[in-house]
Amino acid sequence: MAEVTYLEALRQGLREEMRRDERVFILGEDVGAYGGAFKVTEGFYEEFGEARVIDTPISEAAIVGAAAGAAHMGLRPVAEMQFIDFISCAYDMLTNYVATARYRAGLPTPIVVRGPCGGYVRGGPFHSQNPEAAFLHTPGLKIVCPATARDAKGLIKAAIRDDDPVLYFEHKFLYRRIKEALPEDGDLLTPIGKARIAREGRDLSIITYSAMVWKALEAAEILEREDGLAVEVLDLRTLVPMDDDAIVATVEKTNKVMIVHEDTRTGGVAGEIAARINERAFEWLDGPVLRVTAADVPLPYAPTLEDYVLPQTADVVAVARRLAAY
Amino acid sequence: MAAGRPRRRDDLKPQALRPKEATPSPLAGESPAELRRLLRDMLLIRRFEERAGEQYALGKIGGFCHLYIGQEAVAVGSMAALRPDDYVMCSYREHGQALARGLGARSVMAELFGKATGCSGGKGGSMHLFDAERRFLGGHAIVGGQIPLVTGAAFAIKYRGGDQVAAAFFGEAAVNNGAFHEALNMAALWKLPAIYICENNRYGMGTAAERVSAIYDIAARACSYDMAAETVDGMEVLAVRDAVARAATRAREQQVPTLLEVRTYRFMGHSMADPIHGHYRTKEEVEQHKARDPIATFPERLRAAGMLDEEGWQAMEADVAAEIEDAVRFADESPDPEPSALSAHVYREA
């Protein structure tokens, strides 16, 4: 068991899958000789060569389109978006072509499109986004959002082996800030579509994913210490397909539930989760389903404004107290 | 079409991508005061960027910061050929163009600091400088995105019957993006007064142009759109100025666009996270280009022509240093944006 960062865990997962299956290759901007903007693929060019670690032009539509075409032919491409914000340049390919290929033509498209999402790094409006909701709405795409080093590794391996297209949103704030001891050998896979209870509790549930899992856990500590509340934290890990059973189970257990995500509020994932709870577990609720999200504004650069607009632990604590009072 | 036959990978010779040997424009007939102004503008950018790098290291500037050091002659030469009522749009490496356009060191530095007094109110940061008054329509932080916007600005000029031009600055890596092709085709088809200024500094982040481009002679791409084009020495401020002036005349008088490939070089890493050399280019290569540093060569030429003496040069350095010092102090002492600013301008204020 060696301690590895979230970034190193992701790198291990990618490397293991490339060693295991020669159909797997990586393409993206600066992924080869440079080793990736955040160094996720450092050393890959040397190990796997330029035929399998491909530096592309800055051409997101063609990167995703070419990956999809190669996947139709039986390969297993992993396409990196240098920042996940740039995935919008490939929106047409993903939503019109990739998402519908199996439905239209029976064409499997086993691609992974991955890249760094999220804020808290003063990246400004074009380098901090969380675009999951834009794709949640498109049937045919799977979406995973690892919060831990274990899942960073387990989900990239599962995503590469999945026979459908998977969007893998890795959080850049977590890259080097969290560490975990992972087994050095053995096949560490995280099943796609399965949530994880990150902390057990009976008084109140926080449903969340990605970097917000850590804010929720911090808030749960504070609420236990200062309010004597036992807060359950459910880490969704996968957004599509969503683990409805795990959501319903935590509602039935605590009867009070709130949802935390970093993305903006309107049309965000939380609204979808709240609707599902309403449909499947309304009788179990002792209070309203509340949300903690970013405000509905583009993400500003100024540190004071960024801190204000993005969810902070104190925001989670405050909303949890409101909910607990019901 | 000055560029001739498109070169392909087979023709690749390292020297082909280096700026051509300087053939400096003769200084005779130039106004000494104007040349000294160009030098001062370049020096201001150089010293500003050096301080920005230092302030980043101190944590006063956050996020992602891309310095313009080495490319000063491109911004300064270009702006010298444009009128105040023309329009300019840039990529994310735009501190130099902003300063050359006259945004002021105070307002740019304050933006890098994320302060309320910054040119974008602190909301944009390094990659999103903006100043409507100077018709500086922004830095844009997704590669190539500003190129279609410039096509649209040029369309609006023509639509209203104006004689302004719209100029786009972008790096050589942007020309492999679909947005470049779509926008240039449209501008040529509709005969729009646009100038597409490609700053070819050889590297899209850490990837050399020839590793991602089947045709690396960028001016030659204008053939695809039957568009006028020139390759320009980007280390020579007057060559840039004159080429942009020719393009501007073409745009104003004939309402046709031009693609300019300006061969330059970035002396620093791609961003503050990228070392100057090592991963993808050698120290020798960087040094070779630094031998043509416009901040060193241009004052030499002015001295040789009797247009600048040592005293004048020292005074210029001191004057620029004071301006930068003032900008850093201003940025440091300026207030953070109020939380109430957060929701302003998402939509038109009622």
Side-chain angles (χ1 to χ4, degrees), chain A residues 215 218-219 222 292 311-321:
Chain A
K215 301 269 183 224
E218 278 173 22
I222 293 168
V292 176
Q312 304 296 341
T313 303
D315 303 322
V316 180
V317 169
V319 169
R321 284 182 176 144

Side-chain angles (χ1 to χ4, degrees), chain A residues 199-232:
Chain A
R199 180 187 169 107
E200 295 267 3
R202 61 181 184 283
D203 295 327
L204 183 155
S205 299
I206 301 175
I207 300 175
T208 186
Y209 56 93
S210 193
M212 293 305 96
V213 168
W214 301 97
K215 301 269 183 224
L217 289 170
E218 278 173 22
E221 284 286 323
I222 293 168
L223 290 160
E224 179 173 52
R225 200 168 59 237
E226 298 180 7
D227 302 59
L229 287 171
V231 174
E232 178 146 304

Side-chain angles (χ1 to χ4, degrees), chain A residues 130-137 143 145 169 209 239 261-263 269:
Chain A
N130 295 285
E132 61 269 19
F135 297 101
L136 184 85
H137 187 64
I143 304 174
C145 300
F169 296 145
Y209 56 93
L239 298 182
H261 65 56
E262 184 185 325
D263 189 15
V269 174

Side-chain angles (χ1 to χ4, degrees), chain A residues 83-281:
Chain A
F83 284 77
I84 208 64
D85 312 55
F86 310 162
I87 200 171
S88 50
C89 300
Y91 188 77
D92 171 48
M93 276 294 153
L94 283 166
T95 55
N96 280 326
Y97 294 89
V98 170
T100 65
R102 188 184 289 283
Y103 196 72
R104 283 182 292 120
L107 274 174
T109 317
I111 64 170
V112 178
V113 179
R114 49 157 285 269
C117 68
Y120 302 92
V121 299
R122 318 311 184 202
F126 289 9
H127 289 73
S128 308
Q129 293 169 19
N130 295 285
E132 61 269 19
F135 297 101
L136 184 85
H137 187 64
T138 303
L141 302 173
K142 294 182 176 179
I143 304 174
V144 299
C145 300
T148 62
R150 171 175 281 269
D151 287 335
K153 181 170 182 177
L155 282 170
I156 193 66
K157 288 168 70 77
I160 290 170
R161 295 187 196 186
D162 200 281
D163 289 330
D164 286 309
V166 179
L167 307 183
Y168 178 104
F169 296 145
E170 58 212 54
H171 204 293
K172 68 174 85 70
F173 184 81
L174 299 179
Y175 271 154
R176 293 178 172 83
R177 284 184 175 86
I178 59 168
K179 272 187 174 180
E180 194 174 344
L182 297 182
E184 277 167 68
D185 41 57
D187 227 6
L188 198 159
L189 287 162
T190 300
I192 290 177
K194 288 285 173 205
R196 166 187 82 100
I197 294 176
R199 180 187 169 107
E200 295 267 3
R202 61 181 184 283
D203 295 327
L204 183 155
S205 299
I206 301 175
I207 300 175
T208 186
Y209 56 93
S210 193
M212 293 305 96
V213 168
W214 301 97
K215 301 269 183 224
L217 289 170
E218 278 173 22
E221 284 286 323
I222 293 168
L223 290 160
E224 179 173 52
R225 200 168 59 237
E226 298 180 7
D227 302 59
L229 287 171
V231 174
E232 178 146 304
V233 176
L234 184 69
D235 171 9
L236 288 175
R237 305 198 288 193
T238 301
L239 298 182
V240 182
M242 199 174 274
D243 190 348
D244 290 347
D245 291 342
I247 292 170
V248 169
T250 197
V251 176
E252 291 182 354
K253 187 172 171 187
T254 68
N255 312 119
K256 289 177 183 176
V257 58
M258 54 188 278
I259 305 152
V260 181
H261 65 56
E262 184 185 325
D263 189 15
T264 48
R265 195 173 191 86
T266 301
V269 174
E272 175 60 29
I273 297 170
R276 288 177 188 224
I277 292 169
N278 205 31
E279 286 161 355
R280 286 199 45 184

Side-chain angles (χ1 to χ4, degrees), chain A residues 30 45 55 58-59 122 301-302, chain B residues 63 112 122-123 176 206-207 211:
Chain A
D30 293 292
Y45 193 69
D55 280 323
I58 299 176
S59 312
R122 318 311 184 202
Y301 161 72
Chain B
L112 304 192
K123 289 178 174 176
N176 299 314
T207 300
R211 298 192 63 241

Side-chain angles (χ1 to χ4, degrees), chain A residues 28-39 42 45 50 53-62 82-83 85-86 88-89 121-129 172 295-306 308-309, chain B residues 60-64 66 92 111-115 121-128 139-143 173-174 176-178 204-207 211-213 270-271 273-275 279-280 336-344 346-347:
Chain A
E29 295 151 12
D30 293 292
V31 297
Y34 194 84
F38 289 92
K39 304 295 178 195
E42 189 156 52
Y45 193 69
E50 63 178 359
V53 186
I54 301 163
D55 280 323
T56 64
I58 299 176
S59 312
E60 284 81 8
Q82 192 162 83
F83 284 77
D85 312 55
F86 310 162
S88 50
C89 300
V121 299
R122 318 311 184 202
F126 289 9
H127 289 73
S128 308
Q129 293 169 19
K172 68 174 85 70
D296 282 333
V297 301
L299 199 77
Y301 161 72
T304 46
L305 292 184
E306 188 187 18
Y308 193 82
V309 70
Chain B
K60 297 279 187 180
I61 299 171
F64 307 101
H66 311 85
Y92 54 82
E111 188 60 35
L112 304 192
F113 275 52
K115 295 301 183 76
K123 289 178 174 176
S126 163
M127 300 187 276
H128 300 272
H140 296 79
I142 291 179
V143 170
N176 299 314
N177 192 279
M205 200 166 114
T207 300
R211 298 192 63 241
V212 284
S213 195
H270 163 75
S271 69
D274 180 31
H279 270 91
Y280 54 89
D336 290 322
E338 292 292 329
S340 61
L342 199 60
S343 54
V346 178
Y347 299 101

